């Protein structure tokens, strides 16, 4: 291999010498040096193009040969991340950099200049190859469907990406100014506090990524809510610094990734996957509309199917308890039904017979603390469909019916009336 490389260098030297002599003999004296350097630069670029073409063919051929006998996700991730293209460019630039001395050995200053240029190009191409390799790692876990670990993997890969890019920058600086990396790192030692301040969000994002991956609290695709920012939607992307959330109004919100660790996050994905979503809403009643159920109201209510059995048993129970009570004719003496109490029972029976309510979960109708606006009667239960469209329809149907039913019970629902200026 070394002999072949030496032969190639010797072949390039011969071509370079031929160009050198031809231009010297044919060009005017003032144009010789410029034309020689330009011609040799074109030769070097042509060599780079040919090498890249050859290496690309070889690398892809070898890859297809391996893929033919091994259909796995690693190879697919490498191919989709275009690692092979960058690898062929890196090999081509590396070989071309070795050939600079053979092409420009007659021009020492140009030799040094092109050595520096190709050194910088090699570092730049290596940085792209390094980044695409890390992307291939992320892509592998996406293809594998391991979404719970992808956040932690992405935190690690993006941290490595930043470290790698910073090191490549340092190497580029050392190539340009001809100083060693050791001297660069020594000069940076005094700036440690400033560096930590600059990379504060990066460090916090890295820690958050590892925590989220280990705890599996959230992942890409989860439906979450962040009360601090009044955000609710699906996680679209989690990277080292920011987390993108696709809101339900199709806008995209971006929050710092470390907020996933330091801020209250409400994960609704479990609810969505379990196909249950809580209904917790109150109807506020005017207390002045509350009254005992008299005979006229009782006769109106006893024909309601959801209440007939309840009213019959309750009336028999009340009549038995009121026997022997002085002044039993006075409705306030002894136990008695109220319109709000009967309505509360009606709501409970209505929810329990609804096919849209999960009766395995809590079904509750309760009174809340009385406010200046009235007394809230809260409905607390779980719909058996969690998607937004289905849930909102179920909830609306329930309250449409209940609000319209209040008139039958002689109840008055409170509502806010806008004041005119």
């Amino acid at each position: 291999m070394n002999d072949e490389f030496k032969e190639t260098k010797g072949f390039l030297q011969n071509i370079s010498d031929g160009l050198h002599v031809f231009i010297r003999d044919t060009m005017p004296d003032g144009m010789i040096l410029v034309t020689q350097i330009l011609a040799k630069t074109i030769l070097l670029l042509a060599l780079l193009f040919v090498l890249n073409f050859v290496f690309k063919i070889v690398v892809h051929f070898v890859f297809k040969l391996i893929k033919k006998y091994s259909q796995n996700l690693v190879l697919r991730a490498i191919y989709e991340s275009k690692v092979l293209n960058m690898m062929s460019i890196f090999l081509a630039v590396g070989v071309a950099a070795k050939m600079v001395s053979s092409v420009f050995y007659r021009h020492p200053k140009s030799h040094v200049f092109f050595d520096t240029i190709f050194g910088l190009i090699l570092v730049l191409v290596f940085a792209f190859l390094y980044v695409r390799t890390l992307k291939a790692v992320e892509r592998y876990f996406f293809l594998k469907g391991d979404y719970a670990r992808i956040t932690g993997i992405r935190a690690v890969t993006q941290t490595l990406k930043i470290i790698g890019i910073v090191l490549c920058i340092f190497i580029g600086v050392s190539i340009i100014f001809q100083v060693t990396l050791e001297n660069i790192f020594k000069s940076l030692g005094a700036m440690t506090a400033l560096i930590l301040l600059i990379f504060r969000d990066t460090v916090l994002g890295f820690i958050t990524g590892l925590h989220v991956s280990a705890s599996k609290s959230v992942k890409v695709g989860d439906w979450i809510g962040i009360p601090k920012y009044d955000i609710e939607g699906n996680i679209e992307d989690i990277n080292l610094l920011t987390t993108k959330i696709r809101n339900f109004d199709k806008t995209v919100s971006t929050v710092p990734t470390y907020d996933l660790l330091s801020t209250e996050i409400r994960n609704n994905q479990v609810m969505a996957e379990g196909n249950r979503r809580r209904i917790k809403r109150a109807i506020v009643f005017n207390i002045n509309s509350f009254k005992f159920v008299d005979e006229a109201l009782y006769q109106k209510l006893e024909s309601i199917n959801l209440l007939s059995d309840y009213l019959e048993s309750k009336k028999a129970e009340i009549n038995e308890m009121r026997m022997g009570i002085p002044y039993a004719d006075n409705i306030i003496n002894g136990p008695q039904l109220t319109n709000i109490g009967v309505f509360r029972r009606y709501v409970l029976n209505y929810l329990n017979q609804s096919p849209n309510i999960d009766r395995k979960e809590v079904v509750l109708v309760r009174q809340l603390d009385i406010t200046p606006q009235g007394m809230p009667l809260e409905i607390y239960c779980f719909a058996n469909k969690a998607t937004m469209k289905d849930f909102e329809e179920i909830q609306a149907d329930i309250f449409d019916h209940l609000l319209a039913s209040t008139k039958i019970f002689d109840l008055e629902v409170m509502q806010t009336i806008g004041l005119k200026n």
Side-chain angles (χ1 to χ4, degrees):
M1 186 70 180
N2 289 333
D3 293 337
E4 292 177 359
F5 187 72
K6 288 179 180 178
E7 288 178 6
T8 304
K9 290 186 71 172
F11 177 71
L12 277 176
Q13 283 183 354
N14 293 334
I15 295 176
S16 178
D17 288 341
L19 282 172
H20 189 87
V21 173
F22 174 77
I23 293 169
R24 184 191 63 191
D25 295 339
T26 56
M27 296 297 292
D29 290 343
M31 297 291 293
I32 291 175
L33 181 61
V34 175
T35 307
Q36 286 175 338
I37 294 174
L38 181 61
K40 292 178 180 180
T41 302
I42 294 172
L43 173 64
L44 195 60
L45 293 176
L47 173 67
L48 179 60
F49 177 80
V50 171
L51 286 171
N52 179 45
F53 180 75
V54 172
F55 280 125
K56 186 175 290 186
I57 292 174
V58 172
V59 169
H60 279 270
F61 174 77
V62 173
F63 179 83
K64 288 181 179 179
L65 191 64
I66 297 172
K67 190 177 179 182
K68 182 179 179 181
Y69 298 100
S70 177
Q71 293 283 349
N72 62 28
L73 295 178
V74 175
L75 297 179
R76 183 179 168 188
I78 290 172
Y79 182 79
E80 292 182 0
S81 301
K82 299 182 180 180
V83 175
L84 301 178
N85 294 341
M86 198 53 63
M87 185 182 295
S88 64
I89 296 173
F90 178 74
L91 293 173
V93 173
V95 174
K98 292 290 185 181
M99 299 299 179
V100 171
S101 59
S102 300
V103 177
F104 288 98
Y105 75 97
R106 287 178 176 268
H107 304 279
K109 291 183 179 179
S110 298
H111 182 193
V112 173
F113 173 77
F114 280 99
D115 266 343
T116 302
I117 293 298
F118 270 86
L120 291 174
I121 293 174
L122 193 64
V123 171
L124 181 64
V125 173
F126 175 78
F128 279 108
L129 176 61
Y130 177 73
V131 169
R132 289 194 180 182
T133 302
L134 293 176
K135 282 186 178 179
V137 174
E138 294 180 12
R139 186 64 184 163
Y140 166 75
F141 284 95
F142 270 116
L143 294 173
K144 192 178 178 183
D146 194 353
Y147 300 113
R149 294 178 61 187
I150 189 62
T151 303
I153 295 298
R154 181 170 287 177
V156 173
T157 56
Q158 291 193 348
T159 302
L160 292 175
K161 186 188 298 183
I162 291 173
I163 293 172
I165 290 173
V166 170
L167 286 175
C168 287
I169 291 172
F170 289 160
I171 294 171
V173 171
S174 70
I175 292 172
I176 294 172
F177 296 103
Q178 299 297 312
V179 294
T180 63
L181 287 174
E182 183 181 355
N183 291 332
I184 293 176
F185 286 129
K186 282 181 180 178
S187 62
L188 290 173
M191 301 172 64
T192 303
L194 180 61
I195 292 171
L196 289 176
L197 182 63
I198 293 172
F199 290 102
R200 171 183 172 272
D201 288 351
T202 302
V203 174
L204 290 174
F206 173 72
I207 295 171
T208 302
L210 293 180
H211 171 78
V212 168
S213 179
S215 64
K216 299 181 181 179
S217 55
V218 294
K219 63 182 183 296
V220 173
D222 277 3
W223 168 17
I224 68 167
I226 306 179
K228 176 181 176 182
Y229 301 116
D230 193 23
I231 290 173
E232 186 170 358
N234 296 102
I235 298 177
E236 200 167 73
D237 182 47
I238 303 176
N239 58 43
L240 198 61
L241 298 178
T242 58
T243 296
K244 290 183 180 179
I245 300 169
R246 174 75 63 176
N247 300 310
F248 293 133
D249 61 359
K250 301 304 179 183
T251 60
V252 176
S253 298
T254 303
V255 299
T257 295
Y258 57 78
D259 269 356
L260 299 181
L261 188 62
S262 61
T263 304
E264 178 195 355
I265 304 293
R266 186 175 62 249
N267 194 337
N268 300 320
Q269 190 63 25
V270 176
M271 173 186 67
E273 291 174 354
N275 216 22
R276 294 183 185 90
R277 188 170 178 182
R278 187 183 69 177
I279 297 173
K280 185 175 182 289
R281 183 180 290 183
I283 300 173
V284 181
F285 290 98
N286 184 350
I287 299 174
N288 293 325
S289 66
F290 295 172
K291 65 179 183 179
F292 292 116
V293 177
D294 55 19
E295 189 62 29
L297 182 58
Y298 182 87
Q299 290 178 2
K300 185 168 63 170
L301 297 178
E302 68 177 348
S303 61
I304 298 175
N305 292 333
L306 293 176
L307 285 176
S308 55
D309 292 341
Y310 168 76
L311 289 175
E312 185 179 347
S313 63
K314 201 67 178 175
K315 185 176 182 181
E317 180 184 333
I318 291 172
N319 288 338
E320 183 180 348
M321 294 178 67
R322 289 171 63 85
M323 289 178 62
I325 294 179
Y327 307 104
D329 293 337
N330 191 335
I331 196 170
I332 199 171
N333 291 327
Q336 187 56 270
L337 291 171
T338 62
N339 60 347
I340 185 65
V342 175
F343 179 75
R344 181 162 48 85
R345 171 61 64 172
Y346 172 77
V347 174
L348 186 62
N349 291 344
Y350 177 78
L351 295 174
N352 280 322
Q353 62 83 41
S354 172
N356 297 316
I357 300 299
D358 188 350
R359 287 182 291 278
K360 294 180 181 178
E361 299 291 342
V362 176
V363 179
L364 187 65
V365 182
R366 60 181 179 178
Q367 295 181 3
L368 301 182
D369 291 341
I370 296 174
T371 68
Q373 287 74 37
M375 191 204 77
L377 188 71
E378 185 182 72
I379 286 81
Y380 187 102
C381 57
F382 288 82
N384 55 17
K385 294 179 182 178
T387 60
M388 177 173 286
K389 180 177 179 296
D390 292 333
F391 172 76
E392 292 298 340
E393 285 186 359
I394 291 170
Q395 184 171 240
D397 287 344
I398 290 172
F399 281 88
D400 287 348
H401 179 85
L402 296 181
L403 288 168
S405 301
T406 57
K407 295 178 181 179
I408 299 174
F409 293 82
D410 294 343
L411 290 167
E412 182 183 345
V413 177
M414 298 298 291
Q415 56 183 340
T416 302
I417 301 175
L419 298 177
K420 295 182 180 180
N421 293 328

